[in-house]
Amino acid sequence: MLFQERISKIMDLLKEKETVSTIDIVRILNISEATARRDLAYLEKENKIKRIFGGATVNRIVKEEISIDMKKDVEIKAKNKIAKIASQFIDDGDCIYLDAGTTTHQLIDFLKEKKVKVVTNGLMHIEKLMKYDIETCIVGGKVKKKTKAIIGARAIEDLSDFSFDKAFMGANGIDESGYMTFDIEEALLKRKAIRQANRAFILADSTKFGIKYFSNIAKLEEATIITDKKDVEEDILKITEVVISK
């Protein structure tokens, strides 16, 4: 297969899936791993992709938000490992904030043996929190269907009534400029939660790095990153603490 044909097919795969593994590229294009890596290096140099551990993702500002129902089974093993690491930062007696999201939803499974209080804006979290008999408060406000998150001015106002030992949240994109998400209202709520917490954590699998979204949440130094990404960029490591799951 000619070089330009390979490049075109790789970009088609990324347009379809947003993230693709090197193994899949090798299998689908029937090329060697060395060739796949060279092609990805070329595309990254052309600023068309962002290489991540084990593959690549589209390097662009994302304009369409994916629903939480579509995301819940994506990178599920990585999210579970990240959640397990995050739980190790939680102590008995803590009051914590759990942002709406699929990785924070995984974190709840590791709270069932801990004596904590939880405040959340995530509708999908409630059933599991009740199942484990975890004391829970939910903020009021407007329900966002795609993410099953409660957002808006009322939710931000409600957060003012709490002080958190720790806050755990997701971000759709991370680069050296900070943490990003698709929706300005969700970004404002996440920002408020960070400011109400003694310590904030961003739970992000490797696919979230190098992706830009419309709304800025916070600067890198305002939170600790917990991720499965093994090769976090030096520009990020210089600014904030990064905990890598095994």
Side-chain angles (χ1 to χ4, degrees), residues 13 17 19-30 54:
L13 285 172
K17 298 183 178 181
T19 299
V20 65
S21 69
T22 305
I23 293 172
D24 282 343
I25 292 172
V26 169
R27 177 178 56 81
I28 294 169
L29 273 63
N30 194 26

Side-chain angles (χ1 to χ4, degrees), residues 6-20:
R6 294 198 310 270
I7 294 301
S8 177
K9 286 186 178 294
I10 290 171
M11 289 306 299
D12 285 343
L13 285 172
L14 284 165
K15 287 175 184 176
E16 179 183 349
K17 298 183 178 181
E18 291 198 1
T19 299
V20 65

Side-chain angles (χ1 to χ4, degrees), residues 3 9 22 36 42 55 89 114 116 131 146 173 206 215 246:
F3 171 72
K9 286 186 178 294
T22 305
Y42 166 79
F89 290 93
K114 294 181 182 287
V116 296
K131 173 184 174 182
K146 267 198 171 183
S206 60
S215 302
K246 296 178 180 180

Side-chain angles (χ1 to χ4, degrees), residues 87-96 110-117 165-166:
S87 71
Q88 295 172 13
F89 290 93
I90 301 172
D91 301 311
D92 283 345
D94 276 351
C95 177
I96 66 172
F110 298 98
L111 300 181
K112 55 187 176 182
E113 303 300 329
K114 294 181 182 287
K115 297 177 181 179
V116 296
K117 295 179 181 179
D165 294 292
K166 289 111 185 182

Side-chain angles (χ1 to χ4, degrees), residues 41-66:
Y42 166 79
L43 287 169
E44 185 174 49
K45 187 177 179 181
E46 292 294 307
N47 204 32
K48 292 182 178 179
I49 69 162
K50 181 70 176 179
R51 283 199 289 178
I52 59 175
F53 183 74
T57 190
V58 182
N59 189 18
R60 60 185 175 86
I61 296 177
V62 180
K63 297 181 180 179
E64 184 176 354
E65 187 171 25
I66 301 171

